[in-house]
């Protein structure tokens, strides 16, 4: 690499270089590294301002003399790899010939086959390994390769492969990408939402360390592997937690980045080098970086490069050039890469154009990949990333090898199929090649036995998802007696109630230690600081300082076996911790119960993609939207006030969402949720919104537990039903106040219902509706909401602190006219009273809507509406809150 500084004493420089050469020859790399680091450290302490270079030369990190001898049978492994390649390509090609446009990806796995096969044959541990199973994030677009290998192992049938991307086929199909929800015995992690995999992998590795530090399991050397693409690394989430991984010394984490230099539309970095850029990012973040750029074919050239011209040339070349050389071939490469300098060109005089064209990139060389993996798994003290250069669409030839169109290549022509067969020596006839016939090794053959033996040595096949957690008994709801009895004369918010519930739960001798409280730097906002001392904040290194509040009882207490995951201002990281804890039953065979509490606006709105992935991966746990409600969080304003998270939750199939008004509701819902997740082994996530408004909580009425879980129960009945009011969450109190006004001021006594979950009501009603639709000859079933309300066809007014669509979910199932009040529009900073008047959800607007509903029903005169407006000073010319 060329220095920007002028050499004032070349002779002295040469002497230093010779000294380093002597050290390398006499003492080796480690001693030389120590000497150089010592010199640099000394110079810096003396005030020398040395430049920080985050990139090393554009050559392999592991030199030929440092490589680990390859332990496998390379010839057999090559045959296996060729058949896996063929089946992966044939699967996608056949799917798109049979069903044009169904999609799939050929080129990603084509570039990564060697990367994966070396890992499968020698490194990735399965569930029966004595050390335990590794956690592996497979690159989503490479899924055909994983299916193709599983087919060779006998895990899938030919019908399964024929039905790639046709999951609804009668014979059984295969999902497009890694989806544990769709293939619960196969895939561990959902990875194809770009950027989520890298971040989740980091937090899975950290949670593995958390489980060890808290004594749930031993450190047996299990690893977390994340196979990624270089284009994916542009996603902010991909690099967002790199420093956490190094700060926590996560040497159980290995990233393998397939650097094929291309994304969907073109080069990842045409004018520079993505490998060098990634190296700088990872080195700067404190990772161990292993670059695997050049295959063994290049070793001899670098060895003969006594002039350093080749090293200079590889520094000059950019990724756009490297792609061009792949497409144009050996003669072009000779002229434009080596031909830049006559002496450099002489270096390859002994090689033909075909030999130049076939010189492999490092990621296509098993020897280079094996050495990289071996160093990665033995490295200690920091996480490792392997940056392996490959060619996208490797082996596709003119069908897409190294070309910008390769990502969208879905099928090959007859000639392209024959070329692919010949390129990888697949032993099939022309007709079988053209028809994309799947290939398999017969049992008893050398290749089949090798394939199975190598996996057996490593503990069985991967990917595989195990679901055999140790049983755990959930305490009866009576453990929360304090919450069931209400707050007496004391006012409390539902957030305070939750914190108290968490404190009670964590003291339980059976379940307590399995609770994982997670918070993104809002613990004091939520009143959780008492838990600092009780549970401790997890820190792998313990507490190396005396906190500023150490003289206080509730000081900030970090400890190695701490229970709370305090993630800082980092919702994406916190939800990744939630996912890791929520998958522990599968990944570690141990039930953990995560409670992730956050500012509700920064949950679904900020990290819904992660929450969707959590559902896909069958995570279990509790999401708590703190300071919820558009008018209940009064002072924070537009960006903070959540009025729509329950809609998002209702759209996520395995999330049950509740907006609780009282302490006993929270106790009932949480206890039921734990039973579902742990004792009944159901893959569900519970979402509860919690508010910061203080009021008195009544004791639990008799016989309402079932209604709380199903979504609604009666608060107050009436002898002569004329209208009913539905309240939810913090606005339940506005409904109760409105009921008093209706009775005292207008002589109308409404029935009052408490809705804990509009979405659960709708789901159950839709399920009943569907059953009735497809069973026309059987007695119709009645939904829970219809069972409760069908006796009286009177107008209904529903109120929540969320947009109208939340309560509108149940409209088709409510008998009689249905009116929704909600907080549509952007939030404001004001008092609760002011906000509720602004959004037209306070007690007075509830009364107005109820009176208007009775007018429409012919129960009252229209003049009553004017009387309500006048009595409560409601401005008829007030702007629509949605529009201002």
């Amino acid at each position: 690499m060329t220095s920007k500084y002028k050499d004032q004493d070349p002779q002295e420089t040469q002497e230093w270089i010779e000294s380093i050469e002597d050290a390398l020859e006499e003492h080796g790399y480690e001693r030389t590294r120590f000497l150089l680091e010592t010199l640099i450290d000394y110079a810096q302490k003396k005030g020398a301002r040395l430049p920080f270079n985050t990139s090393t030369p554009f050559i392999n990190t592991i030199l030929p003399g440092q490589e680990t001898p390859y332990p496998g049978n390379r010839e057999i492994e090559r045959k296996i790899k060729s058949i896996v390649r063929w089946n992966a390509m044939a699967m996608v090609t056949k799917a798109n010939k049979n069903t044009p446009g169904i999609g799939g990806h050929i080129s990603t796995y084509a570039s990564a086959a060697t990367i994966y096969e070396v890992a499968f044959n020698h490194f990735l541990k399965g569930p029966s390994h004595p050390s335990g199973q590794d956690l592996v994030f497979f690159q989503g677009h490479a899924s055909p390769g994983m299916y193709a290998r599983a087919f060779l192992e006998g895990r899938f049938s030919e019908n399964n492969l024929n039905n790639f991307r046709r999951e609804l086929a009668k014979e059984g199909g295969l999902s497009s990408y890694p989806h544990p929800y769709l293939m619960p015995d196969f895939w561990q992690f959902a990875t194809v939402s770009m950027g989520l995999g890298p971040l989740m992998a980091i937090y899975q590795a950290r949670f593995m360390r958390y489980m060890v530090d808290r004594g749930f399991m031993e450190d047996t050397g299990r690893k977390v592997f994340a196979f990624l693409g270089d284009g994916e690394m542009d996603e902010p989430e991909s690099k967002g937690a790199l420093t956490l991984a190094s700060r926590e010394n996560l040497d159980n984490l290995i990233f393998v980045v397939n650097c094929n230099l291309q994304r969907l539309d073109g080069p990842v970095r045409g004018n520079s080098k993505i490998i060098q850029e990634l190296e700088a990012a990872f080195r700067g973040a404190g990772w161990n970086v292993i670059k695997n750029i050049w295959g063994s074919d290049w070793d001899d050239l670098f060895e003969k490069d006594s002039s350093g011209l080749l090293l200079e040339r590889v520094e000059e070349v950019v990724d756009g050039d490297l792609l061009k050389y792949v497409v144009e071939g050996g003669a072009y490469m000779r002229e434009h890469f080596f031909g830049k300098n006559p002496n450099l060109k002489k270096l390859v005089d002994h090689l033909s154009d075909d030999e130049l064209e076939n010189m492999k990139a490092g990621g296509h060389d098993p020897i280079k990949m094996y050495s990289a993996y071996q160093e990665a798994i033995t490295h200690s003290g920091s996480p490792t990333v392997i940056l392996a250069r490959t060619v996208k669409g490797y082996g596709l030839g003119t069908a897409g090898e190294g070309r910008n169109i390769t990502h969208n290549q879905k099928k090959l022509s007859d000639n392209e199929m024959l070329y692919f067969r010949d390129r990888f020596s697949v032993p099939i006839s022309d007709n079988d090649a053209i028809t994309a016939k799947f290939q398999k090794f017969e049992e008893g053959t050398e290749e089949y036995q090798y394939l199975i033996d190598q996996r057996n040595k490593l503990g069985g096949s991967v990917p595989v998802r195990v679901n055999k957690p140790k049983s755990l008994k959930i305490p009866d709801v009576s453990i929360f007696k304090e919450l069931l009895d209400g707050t007496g004369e004391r006012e409390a918010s539902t957030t305070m109630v939750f914190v108290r519930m968490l404190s009670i739960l964590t003291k339980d001798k059976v379940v307590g230690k399995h609770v994982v409280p997670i918070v993104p730097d809002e613990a004091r906002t939520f009143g959780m600081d008492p838990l600092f001392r009780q549970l401790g904040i997890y820190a792998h290194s313990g507490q190396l300082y005396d906190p500023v509040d150490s003289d206080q009882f509730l000081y900030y207490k970090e400890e190695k076996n701490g229970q709370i995951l305090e993630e800082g201002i980092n919702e994406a990281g916190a939800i990744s911790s939630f996912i890791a804890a929520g998958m522990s039953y599968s990944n570690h065979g141990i039930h953990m119960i995560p409670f992730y509490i956050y500012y509700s606006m920064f949950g679904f709105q900020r990290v819904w993609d992660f929450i969707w992935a959590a559902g896909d991966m069958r995570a279990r746990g509790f999401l708590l939207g703190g300071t919820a409600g558009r008018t209940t969080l009064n002072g924070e304003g537009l960006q903070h006030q959540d009025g729509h998270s329950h809609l998002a939750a209702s759209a996520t199939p395995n999330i049950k969402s509740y907006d609780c008004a009282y302490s006993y509701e929270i106790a009932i819902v949480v206890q039921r949720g734990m039973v579902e997740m742990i004792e009944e082994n159901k893959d569900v996530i519970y979402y509860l919104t919690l508010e910061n408004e203080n009021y008195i909580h009544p004791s639990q009425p008799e016989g309402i537990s079932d209604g709380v879980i199903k979504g609604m129960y009666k608060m107050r009945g009436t002898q002569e039903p004329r209208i009913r009011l539905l309240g939810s969450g913090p606005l339940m109190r506005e409904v109760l106040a409105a009921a008093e006004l209706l009775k005292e001021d207008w002589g109308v006594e409404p029935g009052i219902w408490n809705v804990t979950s509009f979405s659960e009501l709708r789901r159950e009603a839709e399920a009943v509706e569907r059953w009735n639709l497809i069973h026309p000859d059987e007695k119709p079933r009645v939904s829970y909401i219809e069972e409760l309300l069908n006796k009286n066809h009177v107008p209904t007014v529903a109120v929540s602190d969320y947009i109208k669509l939340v309560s509108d979910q149940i409209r088709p199932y409510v008998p009689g006219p249905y009116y929704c009040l909600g907080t549509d529009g952007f939030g404001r900073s004001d008092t609760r009273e002011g906000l509720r008047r602004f959004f037209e959800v306070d007690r007075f607007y509830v009364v107005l809507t109820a009176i208007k509903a009775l007018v429409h029903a012919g129960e009252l005169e229209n003049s009553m509406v004017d009387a309500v407006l006048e009595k409560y000073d409601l401005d008829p010319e007030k702007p629509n809150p949605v529009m201002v």
Side-chain angles (χ1 to χ4, degrees):
M1 298 179 71
T2 304
S3 173
K4 65 180 180 179
Y5 301 104
K6 184 178 180 181
D7 190 350
Q8 297 177 343
D9 191 341
Q11 182 177 346
E12 182 184 25
T13 302
Q14 186 59 36
E15 291 172 359
W16 277 95
I17 291 173
E18 290 172 358
S19 296
I20 294 170
E21 286 180 348
D22 290 342
L24 285 167
E25 291 178 8
E26 294 291 328
H27 305 293
Y29 296 103
E30 289 301 318
R31 173 62 179 166
T32 305
R33 177 177 176 175
F34 173 79
L35 290 172
L36 291 172
E37 288 179 347
T38 302
L39 289 171
I40 290 169
D41 184 55
Y42 181 82
Q44 287 176 330
K45 287 178 178 178
K46 290 298 182 180
R49 301 175 66 180
L50 303 180
F52 176 60
N53 189 5
T54 54
S55 295
T56 60
F58 194 56
I59 58 174
N60 294 346
T61 303
I62 302 172
L63 301 180
Q66 301 169 312
E67 291 170 358
T68 306
Y70 198 82
N73 186 321
R74 289 190 59 199
E75 180 59 26
I76 293 178
E77 288 185 18
R78 186 191 65 77
K79 291 179 181 178
I80 293 170
K81 180 170 60 177
S82 293
I83 299 302
V84 175
R85 282 185 186 278
W86 174 265
N87 286 339
M89 178 276 298
M91 188 190 324
V92 180
T93 293
K94 189 174 289 190
N96 283 272
K97 285 184 176 179
N98 293 338
T99 311
I102 202 164
H105 300 275
I106 298 173
S107 59
T108 296
Y109 182 74
S111 69
T114 299
I115 292 173
Y116 281 114
E117 279 301 300
V118 173
F120 276 125
N121 284 319
H122 302 286
F123 293 100
L124 302 180
K125 297 191 290 289
S128 300
H129 194 280
S131 300
Q133 183 179 3
D134 289 331
L135 305 184
V136 186
F137 288 75
F138 289 96
Q139 190 178 0
H141 291 95
S143 58
M146 310 312 119
Y147 295 143
R149 181 171 238 275
F151 171 67
L152 292 188
E153 295 173 351
R155 301 173 67 195
F156 291 135
S157 68
E158 193 165 318
N159 281 333
N160 295 139
L161 267 61
N162 278 323
N163 291 326
F164 171 61
R165 291 199 168 207
R166 292 185 60 211
E167 297 170 75
L168 303 180
K170 200 171 189 179
E171 306 89 347
L174 301 173
S175 64
S176 54
Y177 301 117
H179 292 300
Y181 190 83
L182 304 174
M183 298 178 66
D185 299 323
F186 192 76
W187 294 114
Q188 281 182 307
F189 302 104
T191 57
V192 85
S193 183
M194 294 290 132
L196 271 57
L199 191 64
M200 291 191 295
I202 290 172
Y203 281 87
Q204 286 285 355
R206 202 276 292 265
F207 190 75
M208 189 185 290
R209 184 69 55 77
Y210 170 92
M211 294 290 282
V212 170
D213 287 343
R214 291 198 57 218
F216 282 101
M217 58 191 197
E218 298 292 324
D219 185 356
T220 57
R222 295 171 67 199
K223 302 291 185 183
V224 177
F225 287 86
F227 291 91
L228 312 167
D230 49 357
E232 179 178 10
M233 296 307 296
D234 278 344
E235 290 283 3
E237 296 92 343
S238 295
K239 298 194 285 283
L242 297 186
T243 54
L244 178 137
S246 56
R247 184 171 70 246
E248 298 279 338
N249 307 123
L250 298 180
D251 51 17
N252 60 339
L253 175 66
I254 299 169
F255 277 14
V256 184
V257 184
N258 174 19
C259 297
N260 59 35
L261 314 186
Q262 288 179 289
R263 44 186 171 78
L264 277 70
D265 293 333
V268 178
R269 296 291 183 274
N271 294 318
S272 59
K273 298 186 182 75
I274 186 60
I275 289 177
Q276 298 298 84
E277 181 181 321
L278 291 175
E279 178 191 24
F282 281 96
R283 276 170 57 88
W287 287 53
N288 174 44
V289 179
I290 302 172
K291 293 191 296 188
N292 184 15
I293 305 169
W294 312 101
S296 299
D297 302 326
W298 291 81
D299 290 346
D300 185 55
L301 297 183
F302 281 113
E303 178 68 23
K304 293 177 179 178
D305 182 34
S306 57
S307 64
L309 290 173
L310 181 56
L311 288 175
E312 287 184 14
R313 186 70 184 105
V314 298
E315 292 298 333
E316 295 169 354
V317 74
V318 295
D319 286 354
D321 292 327
L322 292 173
L323 293 170
K324 186 77 168 178
Y325 302 146
V326 171
V327 172
E328 297 297 335
Y332 183 90
M333 183 178 179
R334 183 188 303 277
E335 190 63 32
H336 291 84
F337 178 77
F338 294 100
K340 285 284 184 178
N341 184 295
N343 291 324
L344 179 60
K345 193 173 183 181
K346 289 179 182 178
L347 196 64
V348 293
D349 279 349
H350 64 294
L351 297 174
S352 68
D353 289 345
D354 285 344
E355 287 173 321
L356 283 178
E357 184 175 337
N358 291 325
M359 291 173 68
K360 292 187 179 73
H364 296 303
D365 190 321
I367 293 174
K368 302 295 185 183
M369 282 309 307
Y370 182 87
S371 292
Y373 282 125
Q374 187 62 32
E375 179 169 316
I377 66 168
T378 56
H379 177 77
S380 63
S382 63
T384 293
V385 59
I386 299 172
L387 304 175
R389 185 171 75 88
T390 64
V391 176
K392 195 162 188 176
Y394 184 72
L396 297 182
T398 57
E401 184 167 354
R403 298 172 187 269
N404 287 335
I405 53 93
T406 187
H407 186 85
N408 295 312
Q409 185 62 269
K410 311 298 181 189
K411 56 188 175 182
L412 306 187
S413 68
D414 291 353
N415 287 334
E416 290 163 348
M417 295 290 285
L418 295 172
Y419 172 85
F420 193 96
R421 175 202 64 182
D422 296 340
R423 175 80 174 263
F424 296 110
S425 304
V426 180
I428 53 175
S429 67
D430 287 0
N431 183 63
D432 286 348
I434 290 169
T435 57
K437 184 176 180 180
F438 297 125
Q439 301 300 301
K440 199 169 187 178
F441 300 113
E442 294 296 326
E443 289 189 28
T445 61
E446 188 178 27
E447 294 84 359
Y448 177 82
Q449 201 57 49
Y450 186 91
L451 177 83
I452 300 303
D453 286 348
Q454 290 302 105
R455 286 313 314 160
N456 286 342
K457 290 176 188 175
L458 289 164
S461 295
V462 290
V464 64
R465 181 178 177 275
V466 179
N467 185 4
K468 297 179 180 178
K470 299 174 185 174
S471 62
L472 187 66
K473 180 64 178 175
I474 298 301
D476 185 76
V477 72
S478 59
I479 190 179
F480 301 126
K481 183 178 184 303
E482 175 185 327
L483 308 183
L484 299 174
D485 290 345
T487 60
E489 297 301 313
R490 181 174 56 89
E491 292 188 342
S493 67
T494 49
T495 302
M496 293 168 62
V497 167
F498 162 73
V499 174
R500 181 62 188 140
M501 182 221 70
L502 202 60
S503 179
I504 294 170
L505 188 60
T506 52
K507 290 176 182 176
D508 183 79
K509 292 181 179 179
V510 176
V511 170
K513 65 180 181 179
H514 293 263
V515 173
V516 185
I518 304 168
V519 60
D521 203 42
E522 291 284 0
R524 296 186 192 277
T525 302
F526 302 135
M528 292 177 65
D529 38 330
L531 298 179
F532 290 169
R533 185 179 177 89
Q534 178 185 332
L535 304 179
I537 297 165
Y538 174 69
H540 178 62
S541 57
Q543 192 154 35
L544 307 178
Y545 64 96
D546 183 29
V548 295
D549 55 356
S550 60
D551 59 336
Q552 300 176 23
F553 183 72
L554 302 179
Y555 71 93
Y556 194 84
K557 180 185 177 185
E558 296 185 87
E559 52 188 349
K560 187 170 183 176
N561 64 346
Q563 195 163 347
I564 300 171
L565 289 174
E566 163 66 86
E567 301 294 11
I569 306 173
N570 180 10
E571 284 83 5
I575 192 65
S576 296
S577 279
F578 170 83
I579 291 169
M583 295 180 68
S584 178
Y585 73 94
S586 173
N587 293 339
H588 309 301
I590 301 169
H591 283 296
M592 302 302 283
I593 312 171
F595 287 86
Y596 170 29
I597 183 169
Y598 50 83
Y599 245 101
S600 63
M601 190 67 150
F602 306 135
F604 279 89
Q605 180 153 311
R606 178 72 65 86
V607 292
W608 192 5
D609 199 7
F610 282 97
I611 295 172
W612 189 264
D616 187 349
M617 295 184 292
R618 299 173 175 264
R620 304 170 183 174
F622 294 87
L623 297 173
L624 295 309
T627 58
R630 183 149 287 160
T631 69
T632 308
L633 177 60
N634 52 334
E636 292 295 295
L638 185 151
Q639 192 67 42
H640 289 67
Q641 292 166 336
D642 168 34
H644 49 273
S645 64
H646 277 283
L647 267 191
S650 70
T652 309
N654 44 7
I655 288 184
K656 298 185 175 186
S657 63
Y658 291 87
D659 188 25
C660 297
Y662 299 122
S663 59
Y664 61 79
E665 296 172 3
I666 294 173
I668 292 168
V669 169
V670 168
Q671 196 273 344
R672 176 58 196 152
M674 290 191 295
V675 169
E676 270 200 89
M677 297 169 202
I678 308 303
E679 293 187 358
E680 298 176 4
N681 213 30
K682 292 182 180 178
D683 304 322
V684 293
I685 295 171
Y686 273 57
Y687 174 56
L688 284 74
T689 41
L690 306 170
E691 291 80 21
N692 64 344
E693 182 177 7
N694 293 325
Y695 49 84
I696 291 173
H697 295 247
S699 60
Q700 175 190 353
E702 289 290 330
I704 55 86
S705 294
D706 193 47
V708 169
I709 298 302
K710 288 184 175 179
M712 186 169 75
Y713 63 95
K714 184 183 287 188
M715 292 281 288
R716 188 184 303 169
T718 178
Q719 292 298 319
E720 298 180 8
R722 299 174 67 188
I723 192 165
R724 67 172 67 92
L725 305 181
L726 310 185
S728 181
L731 293 194
M732 189 69 237
R733 295 170 68 242
E734 291 297 323
V735 167
L736 292 170
E740 295 302 317
L741 291 175
L742 280 167
K743 183 178 180 180
E744 293 173 7
D745 295 348
W746 312 101
V748 175
E749 186 174 7
I752 304 173
W753 298 78
N754 188 328
V755 179
T756 54
S757 179
F758 285 104
S759 59
E760 285 303 292
L761 290 173
R762 180 180 179 87
R763 282 177 178 170
E764 191 268 349
E766 283 183 332
V768 168
E769 187 177 47
R770 176 185 175 274
W771 191 92
N772 290 337
L773 174 68
I774 57 181
H775 296 86
D777 299 325
E778 300 191 42
K779 180 182 177 181
R781 294 177 179 177
V782 179
S783 69
Y784 176 70
I785 188 171
E786 291 168 318
E787 184 182 310
L788 294 181
L789 303 183
N790 266 355
K791 294 176 185 177
N792 300 297
H793 286 240
V794 299
T796 301
V797 179
V799 191
S800 82
D801 210 5
Y802 297 86
I803 63 174
K804 296 181 181 72
L805 281 173
V806 172
S807 56
D808 200 61
Q809 292 178 84
I810 63 173
R811 179 182 295 278
Y813 312 105
V814 177
Y818 186 60
Y819 302 85
C820 298
L821 300 184
T823 54
D824 298 61
F826 285 122
R828 298 290 196 282
S829 298
D830 211 300
T831 64
R832 291 192 181 99
E833 294 76 13
L835 289 170
R836 288 168 183 171
R837 175 62 65 96
F838 173 79
F839 283 108
E840 302 168 3
V841 293
D842 66 2
R843 61 197 66 182
F844 306 113
Y845 274 97
V846 175
V847 171
L848 175 65
T849 307
I851 295 298
K852 182 69 172 179
L854 289 170
V855 169
H856 282 309
E859 294 270 335
L860 298 174
E861 296 294 327
N862 194 53
S863 59
M864 293 283 283
V865 177
D866 291 322
V868 172
L869 289 167
E870 182 178 353
K871 181 172 181 62
Y872 302 131
D873 193 25
L874 302 180
D875 181 7
E877 303 304 320
K878 174 182 173 292
N880 186 339
V882 177
M883 308 304 294
V884 296

